[in-house]
Amino acid sequence: MNIEELARENVRRLTPYQSARRLGGKGDVWLNANEFPTAVQFELSQQTLNRYPECQPKAVIENYAQYAGVKPEQVLVSRGADEGIELLIRAFCEPGKDAVMYCQPTYGMYSVSAETFGVACRNVQALENWQLDLQGIADNLDGVKVVFVCSPNNPTGQIINPQDIRTLLEMTRGKALVVADEAYIEFCPQATLTGWLEEYPHLVVLRTLSKAFALAGLRCGFTLANKEVIDLLLKVIAPYPLSTPVADIAAQALTPQGINAMRERVAQILEERQYLVTALKDIPCVEQVFDSETNYILVRFTASSAVFKSLWDQGIILRDQNKQPSLSGCLRITVGTRAESQRVIDALKAEKV
């Protein structure tokens, strides 16, 4: 028996999530991972690296709870929101028996994480406007333990109708968790569902420091939920999920000064997004620019594969979304600096339709 045959069958069949860095490229304008375009400076203050860190660092938990408007016992910090996705599946889904549900087009890690653990996936494709197909969800809910809803949705950029999420929460009460992935919520904070936690014990909210906080390299995310859910996740999380330097920087980023700096970055990105959207609408190879509540824009192009390769060859790396359901011809463009936006605009104007 060779090594591959020793592996679990579902892992042998698994297609890994194709992250921006895994896809590679040799560009100098990176607009494919929804990162903040410039680095934020921090000084490490914790030097006790000979000791293991706290499992749930007190300063990080308390600072995030205050920022998010929840109680500290409703917060769990992990290695990015991706670990939060895995913890929820591990804690609530029985392999070979239960299922998770998501609505494509959406973030790809929900399915990858479920498949890794041998948990079935139910994809109820979104409606034409990328809102939830509530009837399709209701028809496929048997056996589902966790429903993932990304809002604002990646890669489409729109907020999921709050009334539809409320209907979903009523539909799943006593049956399944509803996980609202709010990785991009800082760009539209009025849309957060954290205020609903008291009303819905089965609601979970995922957050991250990777986007508006400009700390994608830190790998620090949060799960917000009622204490009963958090206590279960604490049973399956690794003993030391956050290194001491990560906890140190995260706590600094979540001080009042750090939060003010984040909001200034958001204002900068929103202004830059509008500049890019306005310019894109006048470019011949652009068929449609979709509304966005995030730090990226979904755009449908004429001959999108040729456009993608042409910009790739010029060192401008975008994210191809053609393989996602209903996103034929679409590329996703992260909002970068003004100089980066101009590079994209100039390159697209030079394209021959």
Side-chain angles (χ1 to χ4, degrees), residues 58-93:
K58 190 170 187 287
V60 178
I61 295 293
E62 290 183 348
N63 287 3
Y64 201 87
Q66 185 168 2
Y67 162 66
V70 298
K71 300 171 185 174
E73 58 265 31
Q74 293 178 297
V75 180
L76 179 135
V77 64
S78 61
R79 292 166 288 201
D82 288 334
E83 186 177 25
I85 294 168
E86 292 199 352
L87 293 172
L88 288 161
I89 295 171
R90 284 169 55 197
F92 288 91
C93 296

PDB file of all heavy atoms in Angstrom, residues 58-93:
ATOM      1  N   LYS A  58      -6.705  37.339  27.003  1.00  0.00           N
ATOM      2  CA  LYS A  58      -7.698  38.185  27.669  1.00  0.00           C
ATOM      3  C   LYS A  58      -7.843  39.551  26.990  1.00  0.00           C
ATOM      4  O   LYS A  58      -8.955  40.019  26.741  1.00  0.00           O
ATOM      5  CB  LYS A  58      -7.309  38.355  29.136  1.00  0.00           C
ATOM      6  CG  LYS A  58      -8.372  39.007  30.014  1.00  0.00           C
ATOM      7  CD  LYS A  58      -7.961  38.890  31.481  1.00  0.00           C
ATOM      8  CE  LYS A  58      -9.079  39.389  32.410  1.00  0.00           C
ATOM      9  NZ  LYS A  58      -9.214  40.849  32.381  1.00  0.00           N
ATOM     10  N   ALA A  59      -6.707  40.202  26.686  1.00  0.00           N
ATOM     11  CA  ALA A  59      -6.775  41.547  26.102  1.00  0.00           C
ATOM     12  C   ALA A  59      -7.440  41.516  24.731  1.00  0.00           C
ATOM     13  O   ALA A  59      -8.223  42.413  24.385  1.00  0.00           O
ATOM     14  CB  ALA A  59      -5.380  42.149  26.002  1.00  0.00           C
ATOM     15  N   VAL A  60      -7.145  40.490  23.945  1.00  0.00           N
ATOM     16  CA  VAL A  60      -7.739  40.375  22.604  1.00  0.00           C
ATOM     17  C   VAL A  60      -9.246  40.158  22.710  1.00  0.00           C
ATOM     18  O   VAL A  60     -10.040  40.825  22.028  1.00  0.00           O
ATOM     19  CB  VAL A  60      -7.080  39.225  21.813  1.00  0.00           C
ATOM     20  CG1 VAL A  60      -7.740  39.072  20.449  1.00  0.00           C
ATOM     21  CG2 VAL A  60      -5.586  39.472  21.656  1.00  0.00           C
ATOM     22  N   ILE A  61      -9.659  39.231  23.569  1.00  0.00           N
ATOM     23  CA  ILE A  61     -11.075  38.915  23.728  1.00  0.00           C
ATOM     24  C   ILE A  61     -11.846  40.139  24.224  1.00  0.00           C
ATOM     25  O   ILE A  61     -12.904  40.498  23.685  1.00  0.00           O
ATOM     26  CB  ILE A  61     -11.264  37.740  24.709  1.00  0.00           C
ATOM     27  CG1 ILE A  61     -10.660  36.444  24.127  1.00  0.00           C
ATOM     28  CG2 ILE A  61     -12.739  37.547  25.055  1.00  0.00           C
ATOM     29  CD1 ILE A  61     -11.361  35.915  22.908  1.00  0.00           C
ATOM     30  N   GLU A  62     -11.326  40.794  25.265  1.00  0.00           N
ATOM     31  CA  GLU A  62     -12.051  41.939  25.838  1.00  0.00           C
ATOM     32  C   GLU A  62     -12.108  43.110  24.859  1.00  0.00           C
ATOM     33  O   GLU A  62     -13.144  43.766  24.724  1.00  0.00           O
ATOM     34  CB  GLU A  62     -11.398  42.351  27.161  1.00  0.00           C
ATOM     35  CG  GLU A  62     -11.618  41.314  28.263  1.00  0.00           C
ATOM     36  CD  GLU A  62     -11.037  41.748  29.596  1.00  0.00           C
ATOM     37  OE1 GLU A  62     -10.265  42.742  29.624  1.00  0.00           O
ATOM     38  OE2 GLU A  62     -11.350  41.081  30.606  1.00  0.00           O
ATOM     39  N   ASN A  63     -10.995  43.374  24.170  1.00  0.00           N
ATOM     40  CA  ASN A  63     -10.991  44.474  23.201  1.00  0.00           C
ATOM     41  C   ASN A  63     -11.964  44.205  22.056  1.00  0.00           C
ATOM     42  O   ASN A  63     -12.676  45.109  21.602  1.00  0.00           O
ATOM     43  CB  ASN A  63      -9.583  44.707  22.648  1.00  0.00           C
ATOM     44  CG  ASN A  63      -8.658  45.355  23.651  1.00  0.00           C
ATOM     45  OD1 ASN A  63      -9.033  45.588  24.791  1.00  0.00           O
ATOM     46  ND2 ASN A  63      -7.430  45.643  23.246  1.00  0.00           N
ATOM     47  N   TYR A  64     -11.980  42.946  21.563  1.00  0.00           N
ATOM     48  CA  TYR A  64     -12.881  42.659  20.444  1.00  0.00           C
ATOM     49  C   TYR A  64     -14.340  42.692  20.889  1.00  0.00           C
ATOM     50  O   TYR A  64     -15.214  43.173  20.154  1.00  0.00           O
ATOM     51  CB  TYR A  64     -12.562  41.326  19.766  1.00  0.00           C
ATOM     52  CG  TYR A  64     -13.127  41.320  18.362  1.00  0.00           C
ATOM     53  CD1 TYR A  64     -12.386  41.836  17.307  1.00  0.00           C
ATOM     54  CD2 TYR A  64     -14.422  40.889  18.100  1.00  0.00           C
ATOM     55  CE1 TYR A  64     -12.914  41.909  16.022  1.00  0.00           C
ATOM     56  CE2 TYR A  64     -14.961  40.954  16.824  1.00  0.00           C
ATOM     57  CZ  TYR A  64     -14.203  41.473  15.789  1.00  0.00           C
ATOM     58  OH  TYR A  64     -14.740  41.575  14.537  1.00  0.00           O
ATOM     59  N   ALA A  65     -14.616  42.182  22.080  1.00  0.00           N
ATOM     60  CA  ALA A  65     -15.987  42.205  22.594  1.00  0.00           C
ATOM     61  C   ALA A  65     -16.496  43.641  22.685  1.00  0.00           C
ATOM     62  O   ALA A  65     -17.636  43.935  22.281  1.00  0.00           O
ATOM     63  CB  ALA A  65     -16.045  41.528  23.966  1.00  0.00           C
ATOM     64  N   GLN A  66     -15.650  44.540  23.185  1.00  0.00           N
ATOM     65  CA  GLN A  66     -16.058  45.942  23.284  1.00  0.00           C
ATOM     66  C   GLN A  66     -16.291  46.540  21.902  1.00  0.00           C
ATOM     67  O   GLN A  66     -17.275  47.248  21.673  1.00  0.00           O
ATOM     68  CB  GLN A  66     -15.001  46.741  24.048  1.00  0.00           C
ATOM     69  CG  GLN A  66     -15.414  48.185  24.295  1.00  0.00           C
ATOM     70  CD  GLN A  66     -14.516  48.876  25.297  1.00  0.00           C
ATOM     71  OE1 GLN A  66     -13.560  48.314  25.785  1.00  0.00           O
ATOM     72  NE2 GLN A  66     -14.828  50.138  25.591  1.00  0.00           N
ATOM     73  N   TYR A  67     -15.396  46.226  20.966  1.00  0.00           N
ATOM     74  CA  TYR A  67     -15.540  46.732  19.596  1.00  0.00           C
ATOM     75  C   TYR A  67     -16.819  46.219  18.942  1.00  0.00           C
ATOM     76  O   TYR A  67     -17.553  46.974  18.281  1.00  0.00           O
ATOM     77  CB  TYR A  67     -14.320  46.328  18.772  1.00  0.00           C
ATOM     78  CG  TYR A  67     -14.528  46.417  17.279  1.00  0.00           C
ATOM     79  CD1 TYR A  67     -14.737  47.637  16.657  1.00  0.00           C
ATOM     80  CD2 TYR A  67     -14.530  45.262  16.488  1.00  0.00           C
ATOM     81  CE1 TYR A  67     -14.954  47.725  15.283  1.00  0.00           C
ATOM     82  CE2 TYR A  67     -14.738  45.335  15.126  1.00  0.00           C
ATOM     83  CZ  TYR A  67     -14.945  46.569  14.525  1.00  0.00           C
ATOM     84  OH  TYR A  67     -15.163  46.637  13.167  1.00  0.00           O
ATOM     85  N   ALA A  68     -17.114  44.941  19.106  1.00  0.00           N
ATOM     86  CA  ALA A  68     -18.250  44.312  18.418  1.00  0.00           C
ATOM     87  C   ALA A  68     -19.568  44.496  19.156  1.00  0.00           C
ATOM     88  O   ALA A  68     -20.623  44.168  18.603  1.00  0.00           O
ATOM     89  CB  ALA A  68     -17.978  42.819  18.222  1.00  0.00           C
ATOM     90  N   GLY A  69     -19.526  44.998  20.385  1.00  0.00           N
ATOM     91  CA  GLY A  69     -20.752  45.205  21.140  1.00  0.00           C
ATOM     92  C   GLY A  69     -21.361  43.934  21.695  1.00  0.00           C
ATOM     93  O   GLY A  69     -22.579  43.803  21.786  1.00  0.00           O
ATOM     94  N   VAL A  70     -20.485  42.980  22.072  1.00  0.00           N
ATOM     95  CA  VAL A  70     -20.950  41.731  22.666  1.00  0.00           C
ATOM     96  C   VAL A  70     -20.212  41.495  23.980  1.00  0.00           C
ATOM     97  O   VAL A  70     -19.310  42.261  24.340  1.00  0.00           O
ATOM     98  CB  VAL A  70     -20.729  40.534  21.706  1.00  0.00           C
ATOM     99  CG1 VAL A  70     -21.521  40.717  20.427  1.00  0.00           C
ATOM    100  CG2 VAL A  70     -19.238  40.342  21.398  1.00  0.00           C
ATOM    101  N   LYS A  71     -20.574  40.423  24.685  1.00  0.00           N
ATOM    102  CA  LYS A  71     -19.914  40.083  25.944  1.00  0.00           C
ATOM    103  C   LYS A  71     -18.653  39.255  25.655  1.00  0.00           C
ATOM    104  O   LYS A  71     -18.621  38.505  24.667  1.00  0.00           O
ATOM    105  CB  LYS A  71     -20.860  39.273  26.830  1.00  0.00           C
ATOM    106  CG  LYS A  71     -22.136  40.009  27.194  1.00  0.00           C
ATOM    107  CD  LYS A  71     -23.108  39.064  27.885  1.00  0.00           C
ATOM    108  CE  LYS A  71     -24.440  39.751  28.137  1.00  0.00           C
ATOM    109  NZ  LYS A  71     -25.458  38.808  28.674  1.00  0.00           N
ATOM    110  N   PRO A  72     -17.631  39.366  26.516  1.00  0.00           N
ATOM    111  CA  PRO A  72     -16.409  38.574  26.288  1.00  0.00           C
ATOM    112  C   PRO A  72     -16.682  37.076  26.157  1.00  0.00           C
ATOM    113  O   PRO A  72     -16.012  36.392  25.367  1.00  0.00           O
ATOM    114  CB  PRO A  72     -15.557  38.886  27.523  1.00  0.00           C
ATOM    115  CG  PRO A  72     -15.995  40.259  27.933  1.00  0.00           C
ATOM    116  CD  PRO A  72     -17.466  40.313  27.637  1.00  0.00           C
ATOM    117  N   GLU A  73     -17.661  36.555  26.889  1.00  0.00           N
ATOM    118  CA  GLU A  73     -17.942  35.114  26.807  1.00  0.00           C
ATOM    119  C   GLU A  73     -18.614  34.730  25.483  1.00  0.00           C
ATOM    120  O   GLU A  73     -18.815  33.540  25.207  1.00  0.00           O
ATOM    121  CB  GLU A  73     -18.797  34.656  27.981  1.00  0.00           C
ATOM    122  CG  GLU A  73     -20.127  35.363  28.116  1.00  0.00           C
ATOM    123  CD  GLU A  73     -20.084  36.540  29.082  1.00  0.00           C
ATOM    124  OE1 GLU A  73     -19.017  37.192  29.207  1.00  0.00           O
ATOM    125  OE2 GLU A  73     -21.127  36.799  29.720  1.00  0.00           O
ATOM    126  N   GLN A  74     -18.934  35.720  24.663  1.00  0.00           N
ATOM    127  CA  GLN A  74     -19.508  35.460  23.337  1.00  0.00           C
ATOM    128  C   GLN A  74     -18.465  35.531  22.224  1.00  0.00           C
ATOM    129  O   GLN A  74     -18.820  35.506  21.051  1.00  0.00           O
ATOM    130  CB  GLN A  74     -20.617  36.476  23.041  1.00  0.00           C
ATOM    131  CG  GLN A  74     -21.845  36.342  23.929  1.00  0.00           C
ATOM    132  CD  GLN A  74     -22.877  37.395  23.609  1.00  0.00           C
ATOM    133  OE1 GLN A  74     -22.638  38.597  23.760  1.00  0.00           O
ATOM    134  NE2 GLN A  74     -24.042  36.963  23.150  1.00  0.00           N
ATOM    135  N   VAL A  75     -17.186  35.601  22.584  1.00  0.00           N
ATOM    136  CA  VAL A  75     -16.102  35.784  21.607  1.00  0.00           C
ATOM    137  C   VAL A  75     -15.109  34.642  21.702  1.00  0.00           C
ATOM    138  O   VAL A  75     -14.655  34.275  22.794  1.00  0.00           O
ATOM    139  CB  VAL A  75     -15.364  37.116  21.852  1.00  0.00           C
ATOM    140  CG1 VAL A  75     -14.239  37.297  20.831  1.00  0.00           C
ATOM    141  CG2 VAL A  75     -16.327  38.290  21.797  1.00  0.00           C
ATOM    142  N   LEU A  76     -14.755  34.085  20.552  1.00  0.00           N
ATOM    143  CA  LEU A  76     -13.656  33.125  20.454  1.00  0.00           C
ATOM    144  C   LEU A  76     -12.699  33.626  19.376  1.00  0.00           C
ATOM    145  O   LEU A  76     -13.138  34.025  18.289  1.00  0.00           O
ATOM    146  CB  LEU A  76     -14.181  31.734  20.100  1.00  0.00           C
ATOM    147  CG  LEU A  76     -13.118  30.646  19.939  1.00  0.00           C
ATOM    148  CD1 LEU A  76     -13.559  29.368  20.651  1.00  0.00           C
ATOM    149  CD2 LEU A  76     -12.841  30.347  18.469  1.00  0.00           C
ATOM    150  N   VAL A  77     -11.400  33.625  19.678  1.00  0.00           N
ATOM    151  CA  VAL A  77     -10.402  34.071  18.706  1.00  0.00           C
ATOM    152  C   VAL A  77      -9.658  32.849  18.166  1.00  0.00           C
ATOM    153  O   VAL A  77      -9.416  31.885  18.893  1.00  0.00           O
ATOM    154  CB  VAL A  77      -9.438  35.105  19.325  1.00  0.00           C
ATOM    155  CG1 VAL A  77      -8.611  34.509  20.460  1.00  0.00           C
ATOM    156  CG2 VAL A  77      -8.532  35.719  18.257  1.00  0.00           C
ATOM    157  N   SER A  78      -9.336  32.902  16.877  1.00  0.00           N
ATOM    158  CA  SER A  78      -8.725  31.733  16.237  1.00  0.00           C
ATOM    159  C   SER A  78      -7.775  32.169  15.130  1.00  0.00           C
ATOM    160  O   SER A  78      -7.630  33.358  14.851  1.00  0.00           O
ATOM    161  CB  SER A  78      -9.824  30.829  15.653  1.00  0.00           C
ATOM    162  OG  SER A  78     -10.567  31.538  14.672  1.00  0.00           O
ATOM    163  N   ARG A  79      -7.146  31.190  14.478  1.00  0.00           N
ATOM    164  CA  ARG A  79      -6.224  31.452  13.362  1.00  0.00           C
ATOM    165  C   ARG A  79      -7.025  31.785  12.121  1.00  0.00           C
ATOM    166  O   ARG A  79      -7.260  30.941  11.257  1.00  0.00           O
ATOM    167  CB  ARG A  79      -5.327  30.228  13.139  1.00  0.00           C
ATOM    168  CG  ARG A  79      -4.344  29.988  14.271  1.00  0.00           C
ATOM    169  CD  ARG A  79      -3.716  28.630  14.222  1.00  0.00           C
ATOM    170  NE  ARG A  79      -4.673  27.587  14.588  1.00  0.00           N
ATOM    171  CZ  ARG A  79      -4.329  26.375  15.022  1.00  0.00           C
ATOM    172  NH1 ARG A  79      -3.054  26.060  15.140  1.00  0.00           N
ATOM    173  NH2 ARG A  79      -5.241  25.491  15.332  1.00  0.00           N
ATOM    174  N   GLY A  80      -7.457  33.033  12.046  1.00  0.00           N
ATOM    175  CA  GLY A  80      -8.299  33.468  10.953  1.00  0.00           C
ATOM    176  C   GLY A  80      -9.717  32.957  11.126  1.00  0.00           C
ATOM    177  O   GLY A  80      -9.986  32.037  11.923  1.00  0.00           O
ATOM    178  N   ALA A  81     -10.658  33.545  10.401  1.00  0.00           N
ATOM    179  CA  ALA A  81     -12.032  33.048  10.423  1.00  0.00           C
ATOM    180  C   ALA A  81     -12.117  31.655   9.810  1.00  0.00           C
ATOM    181  O   ALA A  81     -13.050  30.902  10.097  1.00  0.00           O
ATOM    182  CB  ALA A  81     -12.948  34.013   9.675  1.00  0.00           C
ATOM    183  N   ASP A  82     -11.119  31.279   8.993  1.00  0.00           N
ATOM    184  CA  ASP A  82     -11.117  29.938   8.398  1.00  0.00           C
ATOM    185  C   ASP A  82     -11.098  28.857   9.471  1.00  0.00           C
ATOM    186  O   ASP A  82     -11.741  27.819   9.331  1.00  0.00           O
ATOM    187  CB  ASP A  82      -9.903  29.765   7.471  1.00  0.00           C
ATOM    188  CG  ASP A  82     -10.038  30.567   6.187  1.00  0.00           C
ATOM    189  OD1 ASP A  82     -11.179  30.837   5.773  1.00  0.00           O
ATOM    190  OD2 ASP A  82      -9.004  30.935   5.610  1.00  0.00           O
ATOM    191  N   GLU A  83     -10.339  29.090  10.551  1.00  0.00           N
ATOM    192  CA  GLU A  83     -10.348  28.103  11.631  1.00  0.00           C
ATOM    193  C   GLU A  83     -11.717  28.071  12.311  1.00  0.00           C
ATOM    194  O   GLU A  83     -12.180  27.010  12.726  1.00  0.00           O
ATOM    195  CB  GLU A  83      -9.257  28.394  12.664  1.00  0.00           C
ATOM    196  CG  GLU A  83      -9.175  27.292  13.717  1.00  0.00           C
ATOM    197  CD  GLU A  83      -8.062  27.474  14.728  1.00  0.00           C
ATOM    198  OE1 GLU A  83      -7.625  28.621  14.966  1.00  0.00           O
ATOM    199  OE2 GLU A  83      -7.621  26.461  15.295  1.00  0.00           O
ATOM    200  N   GLY A  84     -12.380  29.229  12.398  1.00  0.00           N
ATOM    201  CA  GLY A  84     -13.730  29.249  12.948  1.00  0.00           C
ATOM    202  C   GLY A  84     -14.677  28.369  12.156  1.00  0.00           C
ATOM    203  O   GLY A  84     -15.504  27.649  12.724  1.00  0.00           O
ATOM    204  N   ILE A  85     -14.563  28.401  10.824  1.00  0.00           N
ATOM    205  CA  ILE A  85     -15.379  27.536   9.960  1.00  0.00           C
ATOM    206  C   ILE A  85     -15.137  26.069  10.311  1.00  0.00           C
ATOM    207  O   ILE A  85     -16.079  25.283  10.485  1.00  0.00           O
ATOM    208  CB  ILE A  85     -15.052  27.799   8.481  1.00  0.00           C
ATOM    209  CG1 ILE A  85     -15.484  29.214   8.074  1.00  0.00           C
ATOM    210  CG2 ILE A  85     -15.705  26.756   7.569  1.00  0.00           C
ATOM    211  CD1 ILE A  85     -14.939  29.661   6.723  1.00  0.00           C
ATOM    212  N   GLU A  86     -13.868  25.699  10.433  1.00  0.00           N
ATOM    213  CA  GLU A  86     -13.525  24.307  10.741  1.00  0.00           C
ATOM    214  C   GLU A  86     -14.034  23.887  12.114  1.00  0.00           C
ATOM    215  O   GLU A  86     -14.551  22.777  12.286  1.00  0.00           O
ATOM    216  CB  GLU A  86     -12.008  24.113  10.655  1.00  0.00           C
ATOM    217  CG  GLU A  86     -11.458  24.245   9.246  1.00  0.00           C
ATOM    218  CD  GLU A  86     -10.087  23.617   9.114  1.00  0.00           C
ATOM    219  OE1 GLU A  86      -9.508  23.215  10.144  1.00  0.00           O
ATOM    220  OE2 GLU A  86      -9.603  23.524   7.979  1.00  0.00           O
ATOM    221  N   LEU A  87     -13.875  24.749  13.104  1.00  0.00           N
ATOM    222  CA  LEU A  87     -14.314  24.415  14.458  1.00  0.00           C
ATOM    223  C   LEU A  87     -15.809  24.165  14.506  1.00  0.00           C
ATOM    224  O   LEU A  87     -16.284  23.248  15.181  1.00  0.00           O
ATOM    225  CB  LEU A  87     -13.932  25.541  15.420  1.00  0.00           C
ATOM    226  CG  LEU A  87     -12.439  25.748  15.667  1.00  0.00           C
ATOM    227  CD1 LEU A  87     -12.218  27.014  16.483  1.00  0.00           C
ATOM    228  CD2 LEU A  87     -11.817  24.548  16.374  1.00  0.00           C
ATOM    229  N   LEU A  88     -16.575  24.979  13.797  1.00  0.00           N
ATOM    230  CA  LEU A  88     -18.024  24.807  13.784  1.00  0.00           C
ATOM    231  C   LEU A  88     -18.424  23.473  13.167  1.00  0.00           C
ATOM    232  O   LEU A  88     -19.312  22.772  13.676  1.00  0.00           O
ATOM    233  CB  LEU A  88     -18.672  25.961  13.018  1.00  0.00           C
ATOM    234  CG  LEU A  88     -18.649  27.313  13.750  1.00  0.00           C
ATOM    235  CD1 LEU A  88     -18.866  28.454  12.769  1.00  0.00           C
ATOM    236  CD2 LEU A  88     -19.703  27.340  14.851  1.00  0.00           C
ATOM    237  N   ILE A  89     -17.760  23.106  12.089  1.00  0.00           N
ATOM    238  CA  ILE A  89     -18.074  21.823  11.442  1.00  0.00           C
ATOM    239  C   ILE A  89     -17.664  20.665  12.344  1.00  0.00           C
ATOM    240  O   ILE A  89     -18.415  19.690  12.523  1.00  0.00           O
ATOM    241  CB  ILE A  89     -17.383  21.738  10.064  1.00  0.00           C
ATOM    242  CG1 ILE A  89     -17.971  22.799   9.118  1.00  0.00           C
ATOM    243  CG2 ILE A  89     -17.550  20.345   9.459  1.00  0.00           C
ATOM    244  CD1 ILE A  89     -17.213  22.950   7.818  1.00  0.00           C
ATOM    245  N   ARG A  90     -16.483  20.763  12.948  1.00  0.00           N
ATOM    246  CA  ARG A  90     -16.012  19.684  13.832  1.00  0.00           C
ATOM    247  C   ARG A  90     -16.894  19.508  15.054  1.00  0.00           C
ATOM    248  O   ARG A  90     -17.157  18.384  15.492  1.00  0.00           O
ATOM    249  CB  ARG A  90     -14.573  19.973  14.281  1.00  0.00           C
ATOM    250  CG  ARG A  90     -13.537  19.694  13.200  1.00  0.00           C
ATOM    251  CD  ARG A  90     -12.186  20.248  13.591  1.00  0.00           C
ATOM    252  NE  ARG A  90     -11.729  19.763  14.875  1.00  0.00           N
ATOM    253  CZ  ARG A  90     -10.754  20.325  15.596  1.00  0.00           C
ATOM    254  NH1 ARG A  90     -10.171  21.418  15.145  1.00  0.00           N
ATOM    255  NH2 ARG A  90     -10.387  19.808  16.740  1.00  0.00           N
ATOM    256  N   ALA A  91     -17.383  20.619  15.600  1.00  0.00           N
ATOM    257  CA  ALA A  91     -18.159  20.548  16.832  1.00  0.00           C
ATOM    258  C   ALA A  91     -19.613  20.133  16.599  1.00  0.00           C
ATOM    259  O   ALA A  91     -20.223  19.515  17.479  1.00  0.00           O
ATOM    260  CB  ALA A  91     -18.122  21.900  17.550  1.00  0.00           C
ATOM    261  N   PHE A  92     -20.159  20.438  15.432  1.00  0.00           N
ATOM    262  CA  PHE A  92     -21.595  20.250  15.243  1.00  0.00           C
ATOM    263  C   PHE A  92     -21.985  19.216  14.192  1.00  0.00           C
ATOM    264  O   PHE A  92     -23.152  18.831  14.132  1.00  0.00           O
ATOM    265  CB  PHE A  92     -22.247  21.601  14.903  1.00  0.00           C
ATOM    266  CG  PHE A  92     -22.321  22.536  16.080  1.00  0.00           C
ATOM    267  CD1 PHE A  92     -21.292  23.429  16.336  1.00  0.00           C
ATOM    268  CD2 PHE A  92     -23.392  22.480  16.955  1.00  0.00           C
ATOM    269  CE1 PHE A  92     -21.343  24.271  17.430  1.00  0.00           C
ATOM    270  CE2 PHE A  92     -23.455  23.319  18.052  1.00  0.00           C
ATOM    271  CZ  PHE A  92     -22.430  24.215  18.305  1.00  0.00           C
ATOM    272  N   CYS A  93     -21.054  18.776  13.350  1.00  0.00           N
ATOM    273  CA  CYS A  93     -21.411  17.872  12.253  1.00  0.00           C
ATOM    274  C   CYS A  93     -20.787  16.492  12.444  1.00  0.00           C
ATOM    275  O   CYS A  93     -19.565  16.371  12.611  1.00  0.00           O
ATOM    276  CB  CYS A  93     -20.965  18.454  10.910  1.00  0.00           C
ATOM    277  SG  CYS A  93     -21.803  19.987  10.489  1.00  0.00           S
TER     278      CYS A  93
END
